[in-house]
Amino acid sequence: MKKTVVAIATLCVVGLSSTVAAKNAADTTPAQDLETYRSYFTKKFPGVPLQEFSNGVYAIDQISRDSWEAIEEFPPYEPFIEEGEELWNTPFANGKGYSDCFKDGPAQRKNYPHWNAERKMVITLPLTINECREANGEKPLKWKKGKLASLLAYMGYESRGQKTNVVIPEGDAGALTAYNEGKSQYFSRRGQLNFACASCHMQSSGMHVRTDILSPGLGHTTGWPVYRSKWGNLGTLHRRFGGCNQQVRAKPFKAQSKEYRNLEYFLTHMSNGIEFNGPSARK
Amino acid sequence: MIDVKRRVFLKGSAAAGAVVAAAGAGLIAPQAVLAEWNEAAFRSKSVADAVKAVTGTDASVESADIKIKAPEIAENGAVVPVSVSSSIAGVTAISILAASNPSPMVASFALGETTVADVSTRIKMGKTGDVIAVVQAGDKVYTAKKEVKVTIGGCGG
Amino acid sequence: MAKSSIKLRAKVKNGVTTVKALMSHPMETGQRKNKKTGEKIPEHFIQEVVGTYNGKVVITTSWSGGVSKDPYLSFSFKGGANGETVTVSWSDNKGGSDTKDVKIKGKK
């Protein structure tokens, strides 16, 4: 639980290649990366059980955790779960519904994101929801908040307890390329401030930046969607990616763009073994 | 349904241990106390005026029998969880103020005879300052305070 | 948002019923400015929340806009049994209101 206060511009960055060999994304295998990434955090935060990393900054800072626990007494995301359930149960104009697309019900988190070899792309849960709508003659929903986020809240809630298990299929060059693209994005410096995701969420995790304590990148994909008090509503993972890009004055990619889907693919793989616990509340 | 999968780290009910002895005598029905929104209290710019507008008196004593649960450092001033409980007998009302807010009086709770003196809410705090609890019992007024540091203010934009 | 603006739970344990309510409401103080137009957003907040048990008022709460958006209230009272009804109602400064019942759960 480090409490060093650092100005954003002076965040120290030790050679990234020494933590996860990222100079050349293809130099290490996904399995090796997973091992390196996970042990980086378990060593940096000894005493924090692996599953706790699904709780972001609350895994490592007791004071923040106190407020959070009080908020979890009646979390602000609950009405959204209910709304999502209603949406799930409301048939489309053609009489079909989400359960015709998701045959084994709403508890789907464990299946996403995944590589689709035929379409040669990473398929995320939000993407599948909107494709389901469009296949049934409905308009797609907005990616970052609103009804889609509520559906994700319901599906996430029903999936609580499932474990992250993103498999990069062996022998599929396309899948590995997508993974490696996500990985190099994570370690590439971008924006006017020249930061990589890893600069903040690995090297500087646990430190204060302005009014935030940087959360460890491990478990970063498990708690979505998230009700952020700052947003005053529920948002999706790609909304957060966009926000983090903007913080370093880098142009964000579009939600569900190839870039963010690949990033999600890599980052979710890094959380393999950690349970999904979305939706969550954050400050 | 929701209960089943709730995260279960929370200790028992918030009321545990704080159950006060019944002291029904002389209670005014809550409706009578707060039939109307107390404009004077809520619009007041000073803690003292607000407390007076709610309790009708300047005379209050600090009490160790009031417990304020609030974070030492607020994660986000827009949402500061605050609980106030008291073991003083015969509590009829509890008020919560944020001393450094432009209008300090935030919430006032009129309790019925069987109501436990233990309430929780979430408040906005513009900047670092005391959270003040005012507890009325019989014709006495008791207070306690606790400082909450705020790094992201929750009042402005 | 779901149909009711109130989410409500009531549990009885050791002879005390604890009620927790989460309401959907903007709780505008009147001080905030619309980022685009620069105009102040008019105040709009819940002024009163009443909790009743078996038709009897157990708590009357008065609030200012200083209570957080999507406000939370928790209170407890002595008594209550599985299946009995707790009601929470709110009314705001613009004449809006809502009310919701819930059955108490748990053994005494």
Side-chain angles (χ1 to χ4, degrees):
Chain A
M1 230 185 278
K2 257 210 202 109
K3 290 245 184 77
T4 329
V5 180
V6 283
I8 194 157
T10 63
L11 279 176
C12 61
V13 178
V14 239
L16 290 169
S17 42
S18 66
T19 55
V20 169
K23 268 268 170 307
N24 190 342
D27 283 355
T28 50
T29 67
Q32 287 168 331
D33 294 346
L34 172 58
E35 172 58 31
T36 323
Y37 193 78
R38 186 193 286 173
S39 60
Y40 178 87
F41 291 103
T42 48
K43 281 197 194 109
K44 184 160 185 171
F45 302 103
V48 175
L50 181 65
Q51 293 305 330
E52 263 300 317
F53 283 98
S54 60
N55 294 324
V57 73
Y58 310 121
I60 59 164
D61 184 70
Q62 187 59 42
I63 288 175
S64 314
R65 192 181 175 98
D66 288 344
S67 299
W68 176 66
E69 289 189 355
I71 284 179
E72 279 285 335
E73 288 263 357
F74 210 138
Y77 53 72
E78 273 203 24
F80 296 89
I81 299 175
E82 210 169 83
E83 189 195 44
E85 185 173 8
E86 266 179 45
L87 289 166
W88 175 276
N89 290 321
T90 308
F92 301 137
N94 69 1
K96 296 202 167 172
Y98 293 105
S99 50
D100 292 293
C101 302
F102 298 101
K103 296 269 192 266
D104 47 353
Q108 291 287 336
R109 282 286 262 128
K110 65 177 188 314
N111 302 324
Y112 295 88
H114 65 250
W115 175 252
N116 183 313
E118 262 162 50
R119 297 171 66 187
K120 298 201 190 316
M121 63 188 280
V122 171
I123 307 291
T124 62
L125 183 52
L127 193 71
T128 312
I129 291 175
N130 265 345
E131 288 183 350
C132 170
R133 292 179 61 84
E134 288 181 289
N136 286 289
E138 299 284 326
K139 284 213 180 88
L141 301 170
K142 290 209 182 100
W143 294 123
K144 292 198 271 193
K145 57 181 174 187
K147 288 183 178 166
L148 182 79
S150 298
L151 271 165
L152 291 171
Y154 170 60
M155 296 177 83
Y157 183 73
E158 291 296 314
S159 311
R160 274 192 185 176
Q162 293 180 348
K163 273 200 176 131
T164 311
N165 184 24
V166 170
V167 181
I168 320 298
E170 271 184 54
D172 188 324
L176 193 61
T177 304
Y179 169 87
N180 282 332
E181 278 176 17
K183 175 172 158 189
S184 29
Q185 204 192 137
Y186 197 75
F187 291 100
S188 302
R189 291 160 168 285
R190 288 191 61 212
Q192 273 177 40
L193 299 181
N194 205 27
F195 277 86
C197 310
S199 326
C200 283
H201 294 297
M202 288 187 76
Q203 277 78 17
S204 308
S205 56
M207 294 186 186
H208 286 246
V209 175
R210 294 199 198 106
T211 58
D212 284 307
I213 298 169
L214 289 163
S215 56
L218 186 60
H220 253 179
T221 51
T222 51
W224 295 88
V226 161
Y227 182 102
R228 268 184 96 193
S229 301
K230 192 184 158 202
W231 290 336
N233 58 35
L234 201 66
T236 61
L237 178 64
H238 290 198
R239 181 177 179 188
R240 179 82 238 197
F241 284 174
C244 276
N245 278 151
Q246 273 167 333
Q247 281 188 63
V248 297
R249 308 212 189 99
K251 193 167 181 284
F253 296 100
K254 287 215 164 69
Q256 298 304 322
S257 60
K258 182 179 171 208
E259 286 82 3
Y260 280 171
R261 278 184 289 108
N262 290 349
L263 179 59
E264 179 178 342
Y265 193 45
F266 161 76
L267 197 55
T268 314
H269 179 69
M270 289 301 102
S271 292
N272 272 4
I274 304 182
E275 285 179 10
F276 292 110
N277 66 342
S280 317
R282 295 287 186 268
K283 76 170 185 184
Chain B
M1 180 262 297
I2 276 170
D3 285 345
V4 185
K5 287 180 210 148
R6 290 193 77 220
R7 293 172 182 146
V8 278
F9 49 70
L10 300 162
K11 57 273 146 207
S13 107
V19 183
V20 257
L27 285 192
I28 318 165
Q31 296 98 312
V33 181
L34 277 165
E36 248 166 57
W37 192 67
N38 194 331
E39 184 94 25
F42 286 111
R43 300 280 184 220
S44 164
K45 303 289 170 210
S46 90
V47 171
D49 292 351
V51 172
K52 186 162 187 191
V54 148
T55 62
T57 171
D58 286 324
S60 66
V61 286
E62 287 202 17
S63 168
D65 297 324
I66 301 173
K67 217 179 118 220
I68 302 176
K69 209 178 142 211
E72 208 176 299
I73 304 175
E75 264 218 293
N76 181 342
V79 193
V80 184
V82 177
S83 298
V84 175
S85 60
S86 172
S87 55
I88 297 167
V91 174
T92 53
I94 298 177
S95 299
I96 297 175
L97 296 90
S100 51
N101 282 6
S103 308
M105 177 65 70
V106 176
S108 203
F109 308 83
L111 311 184
E113 281 178 46
T114 56
T115 313
V116 180
D118 186 345
V119 293
S120 305
T121 187
R122 298 169 187 162
I123 69 170
K124 296 174 195 164
M125 290 182 68
K127 50 179 193 251
T128 298
D130 285 335
V131 168
I132 299 173
V134 178
V135 170
Q136 291 164 258
D139 54 4
K140 292 266 175 19
V141 178
Y142 305 90
T143 63
K145 62 187 181 198
K146 180 177 180 185
E147 193 194 51
V148 173
K149 290 197 183 69
V150 176
T151 47
I152 311 177
C155 281
Chain C
M1 205 70 15
K3 280 171 206 105
S4 171
S5 71
I6 307 175
K7 294 222 58 170
L8 193 57
R9 281 200 274 272
K11 268 191 193 144
V12 59
K13 203 180 154 192
N14 301 328
V16 173
T17 299
T18 299
V19 182
K20 296 178 182 181
L22 188 72
M23 292 150 253
S24 301
H25 200 282
M27 299 301 282
E28 290 293 351
T29 54
Q31 301 302 313
R32 237 158 53 93
K33 284 191 179 141
N34 179 317
K35 279 186 192 131
K36 282 177 196 140
T37 64
E39 275 167 41
K40 277 197 176 172
I41 303 171
E43 52 176 31
H44 184 201
F45 57 90
I46 294 177
Q47 285 188 315
E48 191 178 75
V49 186
V50 178
T52 57
Y53 157 60
N54 279 350
K56 198 175 139 233
V57 174
V58 286
I59 193 164
T60 307
T61 297
S62 279
W63 282 350
S64 76
V67 171
S68 305
K69 175 178 195 278
D70 295 338
Y72 172 70
L73 169 69
S74 163
F75 60 91
S76 343
F77 58 87
K78 277 174 278 168
N82 194 44
E84 291 184 320
T85 303
V86 167
T87 306
V88 165
S89 321
W90 61 256
S91 51
D92 69 21
N93 66 320
K94 287 189 175 174
S97 65
D98 202 0
T99 182
K100 171 118 180 171
D101 290 341
V102 77
K103 295 259 183 281
I104 299 173
K105 281 188 190 159
K107 296 190 193 83
K108 286 205 188 181

